[in-house]
Every structure is written in structure tokens, then in C-alpha cells.
């Protein structure tokens, strides 16, 4: 929906507006953009402002009328969906780039007008062209002295858009490994894994996962390594070896991706790598190692999980992972632990996880329902709401008086949830 509209808050106004300001920086260029922002802040400091004040400040500083940009992005809705393809003519030494906008058009979403950078790379070198998108369907003729190895639409990923670029598989492979921009490499990995071909994709992703300079690309390549892509045992071994090697990556996000993926693998080398990961400097990696170990070595994992139930970490991430992993191996033991951890005084995130365990594995335990009733008056709102919802899911008629006392209290903020749980119980037992 439009940024400037009634009810435009949270997930719409903040990330969308950030993306729009990023595009505005591209349209104006760094110098004019920052000069405009400086002028806007100085002019309106200590004042209430609206969107149009930003537009006026930019006009005053740059002399440019950006009505079209603000109307398109702040006052209207949607985003462009580009379908792009190209073909190269040897005789003309040029490419024909076809660009079509396919988004649904209505009163708030039309054809988007935007500049865009297109990079063409050939064995003779590379060139970047700046195009103006002005219509729904356009064909551009751009010089290319040799057959391109790579064509990038929206170099730098400035535009808020969806992009469907039809190009040969060999070009996607080249882009995944050689494109200068990490977003372009990420997009290529995505395209390649939509139609996996084990003969080239697994070795390619393995190289990228271990050697790409940007951590997010390495992490995405790891997530694309899937045993289902191949029936070749040597390829499956390559995947496992890559994951184990990536457990030693310098970036914790990459190590976490590798450790998480090892949960579906088996073997002494996998178990050894996961035990090593339990000493990682990242709480998140340790938590993932516990989850993976409970799958990869389920026969011997329980003692390890028990030793981590009280290990301190941010938001008790490690202890929470140990508890949920324990629940999958030994639900009786996990429920016993959850009954202790759910009480007021324990860390809130662990209490929430304990409630999850009780809701999934403790429904048949006679002490669970009375305990949940006591939590209806807990000091923590999240715990109260979770307990209320769980009682509704369990469908025990004996809790109706406790829920009705809350539902009929007009001053109680939990009344709505209590009413929903009452309705659920009555419907279930009708």
C-alpha cells in the first residue's frame, strides 16, 4: 500500500520507505542526495514535517522537480515486476534488451518510471549503460563487441522490484561466481538451485561456499547444497566435506548455516565437527550444533543436551535449544524440565520455550493443566497469553471458570484471548 496512507505503519512504512530513500539516493547521486538531506534537516529542525516537505527541500537544494518520484513511490502502491531477456547480434555487435513490466495495474499501481543501470561484460571488457524506463514494454539496443559473458539489469540492486531475468544456465553459473556485486551472485545462486543439475551446480556451490569474499553469499551457497540434487555418492561426499569445512569459516552466520545443515548427515566426521562447534564463540552456532547433534547422533546426544540446559547465553538461546532438542529425544524428561523452567523467576525466553514443550508433549500429564491455570495471572503478558491459548487448545472443560473470570473482566487486557479459548473449548466438546 502507499506509504502516505491511513494505517501505513510498521512493516509497510519503515522498510518500504528505507528502500525508497535508497532509490532516491541513486536518482540524485550521492552529492546531491546528502546535500538535500542536510538542507532538509537544518530547515525543519524542531518542526513537525510531512512527506511533501522533503520533496520541497530537495527541489530547493537541487533545482530538480521530483514530483514524479514522490507520486510513484510515496503516494502510490506496489512495485515493478520486470521480465527481462536479451539476444546478441554478431552482425550488429549489439544486444537487444527486452524489458517488460508485468505487475498488476490498478488505480494505485501503474507503470513505474525509473533510471536503471545495465552492465554488459564481454571477453573484451565491461561497460555500464544508464537507461530510463519510461513505458511498460521497451526494447533497448546496446553495443556489445562480442557475445556477452554477463548481462546485469539494475547493477547495484538500487530498485525496489521483482526481477525475472531469462538467461542461459552458463551465464547464471558465471554470474554466481564472477559477478562483482554480492546481490547479483546471490540472485544467480537462487536461479541455479531452482533447477538443480548435479553435474555443475554442486561443485560450483561448493567453491562459492568456501571462497566467495562475502559471507552472505557463502551462506546462501551452503543452503543450496542439497543431497536431493544428485544420486552420485561422490557428489554427496563433496557436499558433506564442504559443510564440515565451512564449520571453520571466519563468519558465524556461515558456520551456523553449515552446522545446521549437518543435522541431516551421518558419520563420525559429522559428529566430530558438531562436537567441535559446541565450543564456538557464537551462541547461535552452539545452539544449532545442539539441534543438529540430536539428529545426527540421537543415540548419544541426550547427556550433551542435559549439560547445556543451564548454560548462560543471550536470551538463553543455548539452553532453549537444548530443551527443544531434548523434547524430540526424550519427551518425558523434557516435560519434567519444562515444568521446572516455566515458573516465574526463570528467564522469560526459557519460560516461553518451556510452555512450548508443555503444549506439544505434556498434554497428557495431569499436573500441566492446573499449572497453566496458575499462569493465567502471571506477571508476564506473553506467558499469560500463551497459557490462555494452550488451555484453549487442550479443550479441558474444568478450566472454563478460570477463563470466564478473565473474559468477563472488562479491565483485563487478556479478555479477548480468554473468550477465544472458551469458544474453542466449547466447540471442541460440543
Amino acid at each position: 500500500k502507499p506509504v502516505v496512507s491511513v494505517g501505513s505503519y510498521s512493516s509497510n512504512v519503515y522498510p518500504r520507505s528505507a528502500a525508497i530513500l535508497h532509490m532516491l539516493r541513486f536518482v540524485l547521486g550521492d552529492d546531491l542526495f546528502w546535500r538535500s538531506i542536510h538542507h532538509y534537516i537544518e530547515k525543519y529542525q524542531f518542526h513537525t514535517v510531512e512527506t511533501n516537505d522533503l520533496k520541497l527541500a530537495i527541489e530547493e537544494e537541487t533545482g530538480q522537480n521530483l514530483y514524479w518520484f514522490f507520486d510513484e513511490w510515496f503516494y502510490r502502491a506496489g512495485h515493478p515486476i520486470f521480465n527481462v531477456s536479451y539476444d546478441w547480434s554478431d552482425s550488429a555487435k549489439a544486444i537487444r534488451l527486452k524489458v517488460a513490466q508485468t505487475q498488476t495495474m490498478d488505480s494505485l499501481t501503474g507503470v513505474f518510471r525509473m533510471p536503471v543501470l545495465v552492465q554488459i561484460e564481454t571477453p573484451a571488457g565491461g561497460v555500464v549503460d544508464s537507461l530510463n524506463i519510461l513505458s511498460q514494454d521497451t526494447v533497448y539496443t546496446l553495443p556489445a563487441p562480442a557475445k556477452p559473458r554477463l548481462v546485469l539489469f539494475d547493477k547495484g540492486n538500487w530498485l525496489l522490484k521483482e526481477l525475472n531475468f531469462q538467461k542461459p544456465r552458463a551465464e547464471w553459473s558465471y554470474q554466481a561466481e564472477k559477478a562483482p556485486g554480492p546481490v547479483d551472485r546471490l540472485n544467480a545462486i537462487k536461479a541455479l538451485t531452482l533447477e538443480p543439475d548435479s553435474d555443475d551446480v554442486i561443485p560450483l556451490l561448493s567453491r562459492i561456499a568456501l571462497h566467495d569474499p562475502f559471507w552472505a553469499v557463502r551462506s546462501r551457497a551452503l543452503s543450496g547444497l542439497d543431497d536431493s540434487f544428485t544420486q552420485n555418492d561422490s557428489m554427496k561426499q563433496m557436499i558433506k566435506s564442504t559443510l564440515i569445512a565451512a564449520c571453520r569459516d571466519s563468519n558465524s552466520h556461515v558456520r551456523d548455516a553449515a552446522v545446521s545443515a549437518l543435522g541431516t548427515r551421518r558419520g563420525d566426521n559429522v559428529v566430530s565437527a558438531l562436537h567441535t562447534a559446541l565450543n564456538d564463540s557464537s551462541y547461535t552456532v552452539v545452539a544449532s550444533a545442539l539441534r543438529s547433534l540430536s539428529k545426527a547422533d540421537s543415540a548419544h546426544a541426550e547427556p550433551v543436551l542435559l549439560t547445556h540446559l543451564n548454560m548462560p547465553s543471550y536470551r538463553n538461546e543455548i539452553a532453549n535449544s537444548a530443551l527443544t532438542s531434548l523434547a524430540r529425544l526424550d519427551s518425558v524428561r523434557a516435560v519434567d524440565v519444562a515444568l521446572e523452567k516455566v515458573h516465574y523467576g526463570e528467564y522469560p525466553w526459557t519460560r516461553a520455550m518451556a510452555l512450548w514443550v508443555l503444549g506439544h508433549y505434556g498434554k497428557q500429564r495431569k499436573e500441566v493443566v492446573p499449572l497453566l491455570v496458575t499462569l493465567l495471572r502471571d506477571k508476564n503478558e506473553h506467558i499469560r497469553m500463551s497459557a490462555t491459548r494452550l488451555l484453549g487448545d487442550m479443550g479441558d472443560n474444568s478450566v472454563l471458570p478460570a477463563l470466564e473470570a478473565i473474559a468477563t473482566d472488562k479491565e483485563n487486557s487478556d479478555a479477548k484471548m480468554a473468550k477465544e479459548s472458551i469458544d474453542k473449548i466449547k466447540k471442541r466438546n460440543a
Side-chain angles (χ1 to χ4, degrees):
K1 63 190 301 183
V3 170
V4 182
S5 60
V6 176
S8 180
Y9 301 109
S10 186
S11 60
N12 184 56
V13 69
Y14 288 104
R16 182 174 173 84
S17 295
I20 293 171
L21 289 175
H22 186 64
M23 288 189 291
L24 182 59
R25 178 180 172 186
F26 170 60
V27 171
L28 291 173
D30 271 9
D31 180 57
L32 291 180
F33 175 79
W34 290 116
R35 279 169 46 190
S36 298
I37 294 298
H38 183 76
H39 174 60
Y40 170 71
I41 291 173
E42 282 201 331
K43 179 177 181 178
Y44 295 109
Q45 62 179 328
F46 311 122
H47 290 75
T48 302
V49 292
E50 60 182 18
T51 302
N52 196 55
D53 294 322
L54 175 60
K55 182 175 76 71
L56 293 175
I58 294 171
E59 290 177 3
E60 291 167 358
E61 184 63 29
T62 68
Q64 295 188 32
N65 185 343
L66 290 179
Y67 170 82
W68 65 271
F69 182 91
F70 278 74
D71 179 64
E72 185 169 274
W73 289 107
F74 284 105
Y75 296 100
R76 293 181 179 272
H79 57 265
I81 300 175
F82 291 111
N83 277 3
V84 178
S85 62
Y86 77 91
D87 54 73
W88 178 70
S89 170
D90 187 14
S91 59
K93 301 299 182 185
I95 68 166
R96 294 176 69 253
L97 184 73
K98 303 172 185 177
V99 181
Q101 295 188 43
T102 62
Q103 65 272 14
T104 301
M105 311 283 184
D106 55 30
S107 60
L108 286 176
T109 303
V111 174
F112 286 82
R113 164 192 172 186
M114 283 296 291
V116 64
L117 299 179
V118 175
Q119 177 178 339
I120 302 173
E121 182 181 326
T122 71
V127 63
V128 177
D129 294 289
S130 181
L131 309 178
N132 280 315
I133 306 294
L134 300 173
S135 59
Q136 186 171 358
D137 294 278
T138 312
V139 177
Y140 301 89
T141 301
L142 304 173
K147 185 177 181 179
R149 293 189 296 195
L150 179 64
V151 176
L152 297 176
F153 181 84
D154 187 24
K155 172 182 167 57
N157 196 48
W158 289 97
L159 306 187
L160 178 61
K161 67 184 184 305
E162 292 178 62
L163 175 61
N164 303 307
F165 201 149
Q166 302 164 29
K167 59 174 65 179
R169 187 176 184 80
E171 184 175 336
W172 282 123
S173 297
Y174 182 87
Q175 179 175 326
E177 201 164 14
K178 303 295 185 181
V183 173
D184 296 315
R185 301 199 297 276
L186 286 167
N187 288 337
I189 292 171
K190 178 182 178 181
L192 289 169
T193 53
L194 288 176
E195 297 180 8
D197 180 342
S198 63
D199 290 341
D200 61 1
V201 167
I202 291 175
L204 174 66
L205 293 183
S206 178
R207 291 196 304 272
I208 294 171
L210 297 179
H211 302 297
D212 192 276
F214 187 49
W215 68 264
V217 178
R218 299 198 300 274
S219 179
R220 181 65 181 84
L222 286 174
S223 66
L225 287 171
D226 193 323
D227 284 349
S228 66
F229 289 179
T230 180
Q231 299 300 316
N232 188 313
D233 288 340
S234 64
M235 288 293 159
K236 290 184 179 182
Q237 184 58 46
M238 179 182 288
I239 292 175
K240 184 192 290 189
S241 298
T242 300
L243 293 173
I244 291 173
C247 290
R248 301 187 295 273
D249 194 276
S250 60
N251 185 276
S252 63
H253 295 279
V254 180
R255 298 198 301 274
D256 182 56
V259 167
S260 298
L262 283 177
T264 60
R265 274 77 184 181
R266 301 294 179 267
D268 292 342
N269 53 353
V270 170
V271 174
S272 176
L274 292 175
H275 275 280
T276 300
L278 292 176
N279 298 311
D280 198 275
S281 59
S282 166
Y283 294 146
T284 299
V285 173
V286 175
S288 295
L290 290 171
R291 285 190 292 270
S292 290
L293 197 60
S294 69
K295 302 171 187 175
D297 190 23
S298 57
H300 306 99
E302 186 166 334
V304 178
L305 299 177
L306 293 174
T307 62
H308 286 78
L309 281 172
N310 295 303
M311 180 172 287
S313 59
Y314 179 63
R315 291 185 173 178
N316 265 17
E317 184 176 12
I318 293 175
N320 291 349
S321 177
L323 178 56
T324 55
S325 299
L326 178 63
R328 298 185 183 96
L329 295 181
D330 186 346
S331 60
V332 175
R333 186 74 173 269
V335 170
D336 288 338
V337 174
L339 287 169
E340 297 175 4
K341 299 288 187 182
V342 78
H343 291 289
Y344 188 81
E346 293 284 345
Y347 194 77
W349 292 93
T350 297
R351 298 183 72 203
M353 195 58 67
L355 272 176
W356 180 87
V357 171
L358 294 177
H360 280 76
Y361 301 99
K363 293 180 180 180
Q364 305 304 318
R365 294 280 287 268
K366 62 181 181 180
E367 59 265 59
V368 170
V369 169
L371 174 61
L372 292 177
V373 171
T374 66
L375 295 178
L376 295 176
R377 301 292 180 178
D378 195 86
K379 294 180 181 179
N380 185 299
E381 179 184 13
H382 178 77
I383 296 298
R384 294 197 309 271
M385 299 293 276
S386 296
T388 305
R389 184 173 59 254
L390 281 176
L391 287 173
D393 293 340
M394 291 181 176
D396 191 323
N397 279 321
S398 67
V399 306
L400 286 175
L403 289 173
E404 286 168 351
I406 297 172
T408 55
D409 184 354
K410 295 181 180 180
E411 303 299 322
N412 196 320
S413 59
D414 302 334
K416 181 180 178 182
M417 177 67 76
K419 290 177 183 176
E420 291 176 359
S421 290
I422 290 170
D423 291 342
K424 192 180 294 185
I425 292 171
K426 289 182 175 179
K427 182 177 181 181
R428 183 172 180 176
N429 295 318

